[in-house]
Amino acid sequence: MINRRKFISAAAAAGMAGLIPKSLRSVNLPVSRAGGELPVIISTWKHGLPSNAAAMKVLKEGGSVLDAVEHGVRVPEGDPDIHSVGLGGYPDRDGRVTLDASIMGPDGNAGSVACIEHIVHPVSVARKVMEDTPHELLVGKGALLFALEQGFKQENLLTPAAEKAWKKWLVKAKYEPVINWENEPNKYHDTIGLLAVDKKGDVAGACTTSGMAFKMSGRVGDSPIIGAGLFVDNEVGAVTATGMGELVLKTLGSFLVVEFMRNGMSPQQACEAAVMRIVHKLPENKKFQVGYIAVNKNGETGGYSLQPGFDYAVYQDGENKLTDAKSYY
Ligand code: SD4
């Protein structure tokens, strides 16, 4: 028989592992107090470095934290040599470049587009969805029509390099996501997710991607789903994800990390706990990559991944630096 004291200490330990029903947990524990200088910008992969620089410039010039995250991720969206975001992104298995993006601000408002074609900057369309419609998410043709109505230009996003890669893939036409594979030749990887906390402590985030290369037509990943690929809570901090979106979607990863931080974990501990959730719940975890980055309101940052090879860029205290994330495997 378990006595009351044993029950309470077991319950406390289980609480950190997320096992206690929410109704029994404190919801207002302070977030981790450690921190760094504000403002801070954090983003996924090496293409985060120029993105962070663009975002920091916006903040320095007095722009809002929302402007900063949008302008930061527009950099890789517009770069044809980055084959995992925006222009030049690898297409789906039918040769169509379909993009997913989301943005979320300090007021809790958010906007997303999914499976949108022909628009170089889906993050800016997501912002328009957030600000100028009663909706949160527009997909496919509807998203494109909305973008065109808003004055965005229709363009061909399939660059010769991306088309060549797709044609090479077509020879075997086997869909098999490879860990850290996207864009390997120049070491630019995957989705860009970028989070910022401005001087006042206001928090925002943006996430944009062409998704998994050679995916099925109509496939949508985690990036445009608020709570999966991106989540912001101005009382706590922000989180974004990269890697195999299906694993992030099945565990609602970014929301989970924010909730772990709300309950007292540091950004680093919270990212690790969310990766552990994938390890415990999803047997396919061994085959795929997932990486999380997080920042709390105090300017403390963290990042963690399932597999080795994930890195992220942090711009803080006048330095814009790439960090290798620790990983579970
Ligand atoms: C997705 N998470 O669509 C994105 C893509 C990505 O590594 O990050 N690729 O699932």
Side-chain angles (χ1 to χ4, degrees), residues 69-91:
V69 297
E70 179 188 358
H71 284 273
V73 302
R74 281 174 61 102
V75 175
E77 281 186 341
D79 186 337
D81 293 329
I82 295 176
H83 297 304
S84 47
V85 183
L87 176 67
Y90 282 169

Side-chain angles (χ1 to χ4, degrees), residues 45 84 100 182 189-192 209-212 215 219-224 241-246 248 289:
W45 306 105
S84 47
D100 296 341
E182 313 275 331
H189 285 281
D190 302 53
T191 299
I192 178 100
T209 188
S210 50
M212 304 312 287
K215 60 198 174 186
R219 182 265 186 188
V220 171
D222 58 312
S223 305
T242 180
M244 192 70 187
E246 282 73 2
V248 178
Q289 175 65 300

Side-chain angles (χ1 to χ4, degrees), residues 119 176 224:
I119 302 289
E176 197 169 39

Side-chain angles (χ1 to χ4, degrees), residues 37-302:
E37 189 75 11
L38 295 180
V40 57
I41 318 266
I42 178 169
S43 58
T44 52
W45 306 105
K46 192 179 172 189
H47 50 27
L49 288 170
S51 307
N52 284 2
M56 192 58 93
K57 185 164 180 280
V58 170
L59 290 182
K60 284 202 171 129
E61 288 169 357
S64 70
V65 71
L66 204 57
D67 291 338
V69 297
E70 179 188 358
H71 284 273
V73 302
R74 281 174 61 102
V75 175
E77 281 186 341
D79 186 337
D81 293 329
I82 295 176
H83 297 304
S84 47
V85 183
L87 176 67
Y90 282 169
D92 66 15
R93 66 185 188 182
D94 301 326
R96 292 159 66 165
V97 181
T98 65
L99 307 175
D100 296 341
S102 59
I103 189 163
M104 190 164 188
D107 58 357
N109 206 1
S112 312
V113 288
C115 220
I116 187 171
E117 292 182 73
H118 309 304
I119 302 289
V120 177
H121 293 297
V123 72
S124 297
V125 185
R127 184 164 176 182
K128 286 277 179 203
V129 172
M130 174 173 87
E131 289 176 343
D132 295 348
T133 79
H135 305 306
E136 195 284 316
L137 169 63
L138 293 180
V139 306
K141 200 163 177 202
L144 173 62
L145 290 176
F146 170 72
L148 297 177
E149 254 171 43
Q150 294 287 323
F152 288 83
K153 215 169 96 198
Q154 177 155 350
E155 291 178 54
N156 172 25
L157 305 183
L158 187 65
T159 57
E163 189 171 7
K164 196 170 152 203
W166 169 59
K167 292 208 163 131
K168 193 170 157 206
W169 177 83
L170 275 180
V171 175
K172 286 196 185 147
K174 188 161 182 237
Y175 178 71
E176 197 169 39
V178 179
I179 291 164
N180 300 333
W181 170 83
E182 313 275 331
N183 225 350
E184 184 66 28
N186 50 11
K187 281 288 203 184
Y188 283 128
H189 285 281
D190 302 53
T191 299
I192 178 100
L194 184 146
L195 315 168
V197 187
D198 71 11
K199 255 185 157 158
K200 296 182 301 210
D202 278 337
V203 188
C207 185
T208 174
T209 188
S210 50
M212 304 312 287
F214 318 129
K215 60 198 174 186
M216 286 175 72
S217 171
R219 182 265 186 188
V220 171
D222 58 312
S223 305
I225 306 302
I226 291 300
L230 177 72
F231 198 68
V232 173
D233 185 318
N234 210 43
E235 287 174 19
V236 178
V239 179
T240 188
T242 180
M244 192 70 187
E246 282 73 2
L247 280 67
V248 178
L249 282 163
K250 288 178 205 174
T251 52
L252 208 55
S254 292
F255 182 73
L256 186 62
V257 178
V258 166
E259 293 308 299
F260 282 143
M261 293 197 290
R262 189 193 311 282
N263 283 289
M265 287 191 197
S266 69
Q268 183 62 36
Q269 290 167 331
C271 289
E272 291 179 16
V275 166
M276 289 313 292
R277 180 68 61 92
I278 293 175
V279 170
H280 290 311
K281 294 277 178 187
L282 304 175
E284 68 268 35
N285 74 77
K286 295 179 189 73
K287 288 187 296 182
F288 300 117
Q289 175 65 300
V290 168
Y292 290 112
I293 57 169
V295 62
N296 68 17
K297 226 177 147 53
N298 308 317
E300 193 186 5
T301 58

